[in-house]
Amino acid sequence: METGAHRRYAEIMHDVEELINDHIEHQTCGTQGRSKLKHLVPSVGVFFTPLLLEEAFKFQDDRRKISSRRFVPPSFNDIRLTLNSAQLMSLTRNGPIELVTFDGDVTLYDDGESLTNENPVIPRILKLLRQGTHIGIVTAAGYTDAIKYYGRLHGLLDAVAQAITDKEVADPKVIILGGESNYLFEFDFHAESFLKYVPRKTWMLDEMRSWQEEDIQSLLDLAEGALRECVGSMQLSAQILRKDRAVGIIPVPIPGKPKFNREQLEEIVLVTQQILDLSTPGKKVPFCAFNGGNDVFVDIGDKSYGVLSCQRYLGGIEGSKTLHVGDQFLSAGANDFKARLACTTAWIASPAETVALLDELHFHREN
């Protein structure tokens, strides 16, 4: 029975893989609207590489024993991890991976925490740097001061500095794109906190230059109003936090009163999203309304602009040579989802999964 299930699952993956290959052929010719996959899944987007789904399933089946189970069918997580493996296999076999970008919270470290020296992801990232891969942190955290990013990422930054001192790496490229797509900092061994601020005008995409400051502030005014209305209607203990390129709500701790629950956060995101989508500024300036796990923020731009800006700043890296790793691809306000417009992606569910993903990436590179 196990052999039969393995064969049937592999055949299904093979068929889906062929549908994707057909879509990519149409995509290359500019006729993706006519592909079989587009007819079956009208919302399907761009594929930057083929996906080796059949081989990836066999790889994951060997580890997760999917076809050995009698009563539990292939799960969402089985499929998610199989897709990750398929993407890693394709990337490693079609030339070097030039850039890997990461989300912060829940991807590199637990929600609200920081990247400390003992974090097991650090030696894996250092290995990527030694192999010539550039590293980007594309995060919703929006700071204008390098010291604040150092506080969140000091374990990695200290490790990179030490690797330079030990001559393990010569000129590593590590950049941070904060506020989704608003603040760029670059690793600098001689700078305070090992980070230097890069002026926006030197890395902005052409489209971003067309965003008018008046429209940006009008959009943030509308977002702030929507957030205040949600806080009032749901009687939340919350504080409004306004920045130059973002506005959001954070909890105000009150003894005996719980923090926000997931349903409240997603309701706030959806209400705010709808109001901004229907507004005039919302049609002129891209934005991202997202659930941060214990807060809700609206940022100017989104992670597609963040990743594209990293690619441009680092010399014009293609989406097929870039991997973005994040945890928010599904629920309302999932801000990693937009990165799919800029490059290949891997969907993880915890920092431990990020470590396992990088181990798998190195395994495919070396085998």
Side-chain angles (χ1 to χ4, degrees):
M1 187 178 77
E2 177 183 341
T3 303
H6 177 88
R7 184 184 67 254
R8 289 194 299 274
Y9 293 155
E11 288 172 351
I12 291 169
M13 289 296 178
H14 174 79
D15 290 342
V16 176
E17 184 176 329
E18 288 303 308
L19 284 172
I20 293 173
N21 289 338
D22 171 74
H23 183 79
I24 291 174
E25 288 182 13
H26 281 279
Q27 192 175 274
T28 303
C29 300
T31 58
Q32 58 267 35
R34 302 178 189 173
S35 76
K36 298 175 185 176
L37 187 59
K38 187 70 173 179
H39 287 292
L40 292 170
V41 187
S43 61
V44 69
V46 173
F47 288 89
F48 291 92
T49 69
L51 292 177
L52 306 179
L53 290 173
E54 182 180 4
E55 186 175 349
F57 167 74
K58 294 175 180 177
F59 178 85
Q60 285 294 339
D61 193 33
D62 184 56
R63 285 153 178 75
R64 298 175 66 82
K65 307 303 178 186
I66 301 167
S67 58
S68 299
R69 303 196 299 246
R70 294 180 58 195
F71 299 106
V72 180
S75 68
F76 176 84
N77 284 329
D78 291 329
I79 300 302
R80 177 175 59 83
L81 294 173
T82 298
L83 286 166
N84 285 351
S85 292
Q87 188 62 81
L88 295 182
M89 289 176 176
S90 182
L91 282 168
T92 54
R93 294 180 191 182
N94 289 279
I97 303 174
E98 297 180 13
L99 171 64
V100 178
T101 62
F102 297 91
D103 176 40
D105 291 76
V106 188
T107 300
L108 292 176
Y109 41 81
D110 290 330
D111 191 28
E113 300 299 321
S114 60
L115 190 53
T116 55
N117 298 54
E118 68 275 9
N119 192 308
V121 80
I122 292 174
R124 276 82 174 175
I125 293 177
L126 290 177
K127 187 172 182 178
L128 288 172
L129 290 170
R130 287 195 296 270
Q131 293 171 336
T133 300
H134 305 324
I135 298 297
I137 313 294
V138 182
T139 173
Y143 309 129
T144 55
D145 297 325
I147 189 65
K148 292 185 178 180
Y149 282 116
Y150 178 79
R152 299 299 299 273
L153 302 167
H154 61 88
L156 175 62
L157 298 172
D158 289 345
V160 174
Q162 188 61 51
I164 293 174
T165 300
D166 296 341
K167 298 183 179 180
E168 295 180 14
V169 292
D171 184 26
K173 297 296 183 183
V174 179
I175 60 176
I176 301 168
L177 207 302
E180 311 283 357
S181 57
N182 288 295
Y183 312 103
L184 181 62
F185 289 81
E186 183 175 16
F187 181 87
D188 185 338
F189 183 77
H190 302 289
E192 183 181 6
S193 304
F194 298 125
L195 290 171
K196 68 175 181 181
Y197 176 72
V198 182
R200 193 174 288 150
K201 63 181 181 180
T202 65
W203 56 266
M204 286 176 64
L205 304 171
D206 292 340
E207 181 181 347
M208 298 167 72
R209 298 179 191 279
S210 69
W211 303 345
Q212 299 300 309
E213 188 63 27
E214 180 182 355
D215 294 326
I216 289 173
Q217 296 307 317
S218 294
L219 187 144
L220 293 177
D221 289 342
L222 286 171
E224 182 175 342
L227 293 171
R228 290 188 183 279
E229 184 177 339
C230 289
V231 168
S233 65
M234 287 190 271
Q235 299 181 342
L236 301 175
S237 299
Q239 174 186 348
I240 302 291
L241 184 60
R242 178 75 176 254
K243 302 180 180 181
D244 70 322
R245 291 275 172 139
V247 62
I249 60 168
I250 57 176
V252 176
I254 296 180
K257 192 164 186 177
K259 294 182 179 180
F260 310 146
N261 59 50
R262 180 177 62 85
E263 290 78 9
Q264 289 172 328
L265 292 169
E266 294 196 355
E267 173 71 10
I268 295 169
V269 168
L270 293 172
V271 168
T272 305
Q273 178 86 41
Q274 183 182 54
I275 290 172
L276 297 181
D277 280 339
L278 296 174
S279 71
T280 300
K283 292 179 172 61
K284 295 179 179 179
V285 180
F287 64 90
C288 177
F290 67 95
N291 169 3
N294 199 34
D295 54 37
V296 171
F297 268 86
V298 176
D299 281 328
I300 299 301
D302 57 48
K303 286 196 178 180
S304 67
Y305 293 100
V307 175
L308 287 168
S309 296
C310 290
Q311 291 169 334
R312 175 177 176 173
Y313 185 72
L314 293 170
I317 298 173
E318 297 178 356
S320 60
K321 303 294 184 182
T322 305
L323 175 68
H324 177 73
V325 183
D327 68 291
Q328 291 204 19
F329 286 96
L330 179 61
S331 63
N335 63 346
D336 287 305
F337 185 84
K338 286 296 185 71
R340 291 172 29 162
L341 299 173
C343 65
T344 70
T345 58
W347 184 353
I348 55 81
S350 68
E353 277 199 10
T354 301
V355 171
L357 180 89
L358 294 181
D359 284 342
E360 184 182 338
L361 173 59
H362 292 309
F363 172 82
H364 293 310
R365 267 184 161 178
E366 296 163 3
N367 292 276

